[in-house]
Amino acid sequence: MKFSLLLLSLLSMSACAMGPNAAHKKEVAKIPPVKTETVDTPNETTVNVIYQEIKKEPLTKPAASKAPILKADKPVLISVVGQGVAPMNTTSPAQAYALAKRAATADAYRLIAEKVKGVNVDGQDLVKNMMVKRSTVRTSVQAMVKNANIVETTFKDGLCEVEMEITLSHSQFSH
Amino acid sequence: MRSRNGNNSFTLAIFSLILFHSLALNAASEYLISYRYVIKDATLYNEQLTIAKSMKKCLGNPYDSIMLEADTNASLKKIISKNKEKFIDYIHQLGLNIQHSQKVLNSQSKSTIILTLKTTCFKVDFNDNFAKISPLK
């Protein structure tokens, strides 16, 4: 009897020393990630608790922003397709082709400039009485492009398409 | 009666005159060339190629030259107009400034592309059958 009393008192003391949350914490540690458990709170109300183990990783910037796009040993090839149409008042199909090709070439140059240098975008919306009255988007680019090559030209149904390529190497920008 | 010295100076003058003329005929000239064209809504709107003889000497060294076929005594304007496509492709290779602006208003788009070769000094060597054109930098 004495022995059992001693054992009980020892158990109660150890329980008090660990505190009320100790048992709870011990249980949390055992629960595998993403699992719903029913836990009896000291106030005897049953609640559903969701546990999820979250591995914290140090915040780092994306790798793409750190790595240089142009590497010394690897030139970058940029390919675009520009489109142009002939004006309505052409005197011959040959003239229409020449003018459409000129427009398509300029469009291809613009696409290269946009890819290499980027585009400025400016937007404006006018809302009156909860309705969009005017929506404006302005884009612009300004650049200088040289040594671009025309790879292929096609002319079909009044639309001229010019495929253009440019090779960017590290040495072009290093000096 | 003329003296020997006088005759010598006369022949020297004649020879120098001939030499000067022969050099002047094949001498390099300098021209200022600019090029600009405008594309509006994917259609060629305006194109300008301006050629003028330089009135003062240009500084710089020639690079990336082009050879154009030329008739004897033809001017640069005639030579270029005869080989216009080739020359314009060459100008593109030299490098053009690009200005592009697009405006989308209530889902209706308007775009303008302007390609420009700023006024550049070109050295032109005229020969019998061709002209060698090279920009100076």
Side-chain angles (χ1 to χ4, degrees):
Chain A
M1 184 71 185
K2 270 185 183 178
F3 179 73
S4 60
L5 230 149
L6 188 73
L7 196 69
L8 269 173
S9 64
L10 264 170
L11 274 171
S12 63
M13 273 176 72
S14 64
C16 282
M18 285 175 85
N21 293 331
H24 178 82
K25 274 183 186 171
K26 210 174 179 181
E27 212 158 304
V28 170
K30 282 178 187 173
I31 290 164
V34 195
K35 199 172 179 181
T36 310
E37 279 284 316
T38 308
V39 177
D40 293 328
T41 55
N43 299 337
E44 291 183 358
T45 51
T46 309
V47 287
N48 286 328
V49 183
I50 298 167
Y51 302 99
Q52 189 173 11
E53 205 172 273
I54 299 165
K55 282 182 182 175
K56 284 188 179 177
E57 286 174 4
L59 286 171
T60 51
K61 285 182 182 176
S65 64
K66 275 186 182 175
I69 296 165
L70 269 179
K71 288 172 186 169
D73 56 335
K74 203 177 175 187
V76 175
L77 181 81
I78 290 173
S79 180
V80 294
V81 178
Q83 294 181 322
V85 290
M88 297 296 280
N89 52 351
T90 50
T91 53
S92 65
Q95 191 194 24
Y97 172 75
L99 298 177
K101 191 186 172 187
R102 193 64 48 79
T105 308
D107 191 44
Y109 268 89
R110 188 259 306 175
L111 288 166
I112 286 174
E114 283 186 354
K115 275 196 174 183
V116 176
K117 214 180 169 191
V119 192
N120 297 312
V121 184
D122 182 26
Q124 203 174 32
D125 284 339
L126 176 69
V127 180
K128 248 184 182 179
N129 298 328
M130 304 296 282
M131 283 192 294
V132 177
K133 289 279 177 189
R134 191 174 62 223
S135 173
T136 317
V137 181
R138 287 170 198 267
T139 60
S140 66
V141 64
Q142 205 160 5
M144 215 280 272
V145 176
K146 63 186 202 178
N147 292 327
N149 296 312
I150 293 173
V151 180
E152 198 182 346
T153 309
T154 52
F155 187 66
K156 199 179 174 187
D157 302 329
L159 175 75
C160 184
E161 287 189 329
V162 167
E163 189 183 346
M164 193 177 272
E165 280 183 357
I166 190 168
T167 310
L168 302 177
S169 62
H170 189 267
S171 59
Q172 286 174 315
F173 297 93
S174 59
H175 51 78
Chain B
M1 191 177 167
R2 287 178 180 170
S3 69
R4 279 189 178 180
N5 286 343
N7 281 340
N8 270 347
S9 65
F10 178 72
T11 48
L12 201 74
I14 292 287
F15 271 112
S16 61
L17 204 68
I18 291 165
L19 189 72
F20 175 76
H21 273 279
S22 63
L23 281 174
L25 283 173
N26 286 328
S29 309
E30 287 170 345
Y31 286 84
L32 297 170
I33 297 173
S34 68
Y35 178 62
R36 181 183 191 268
Y37 68 104
V38 181
I39 311 294
K40 278 196 176 183
D41 301 328
T43 310
L44 186 69
Y45 183 73
N46 181 25
E47 189 179 23
Q48 261 184 310
L49 178 68
T50 314
I51 303 162
K53 197 158 186 176
S54 176
M55 294 182 80
K56 69 178 203 180
K57 190 158 172 57
C58 300
L59 299 171
N61 298 315
Y63 67 99
D64 286 351
S65 54
I66 184 178
M67 305 277 233
L68 295 180
E69 282 179 26
D71 298 331
T72 320
N73 297 328
S75 67
L76 184 66
K77 278 185 188 178
K78 280 183 183 170
I79 293 167
I80 286 176
S81 67
K82 211 175 175 183
N83 304 280
K84 200 185 167 193
E85 285 303 311
K86 196 179 173 186
F87 185 70
I88 283 171
D89 285 348
Y90 165 69
I91 281 178
H92 278 88
Q93 286 292 315
L94 288 179
L96 296 176
N97 282 300
I98 298 152
Q99 280 178 284
H100 169 250
S101 62
Q102 186 181 32
K103 186 181 175 185
V104 183
L105 178 64
N106 297 334
S107 304
Q108 284 192 320
S109 169
K110 283 182 180 179
S111 79
T112 308
I113 309 170
I114 304 169
L115 274 82
T116 317
L117 171 78
K118 64 173 187 175
T119 307
T120 310
C121 192
F122 285 80
K123 183 185 169 192
V124 184
D125 290 306
F126 290 102
N127 286 297
D128 290 340
N129 298 323
F130 61 90
K132 186 182 173 188
I133 304 169
S134 32
L136 298 173
K137 189 165 81 174

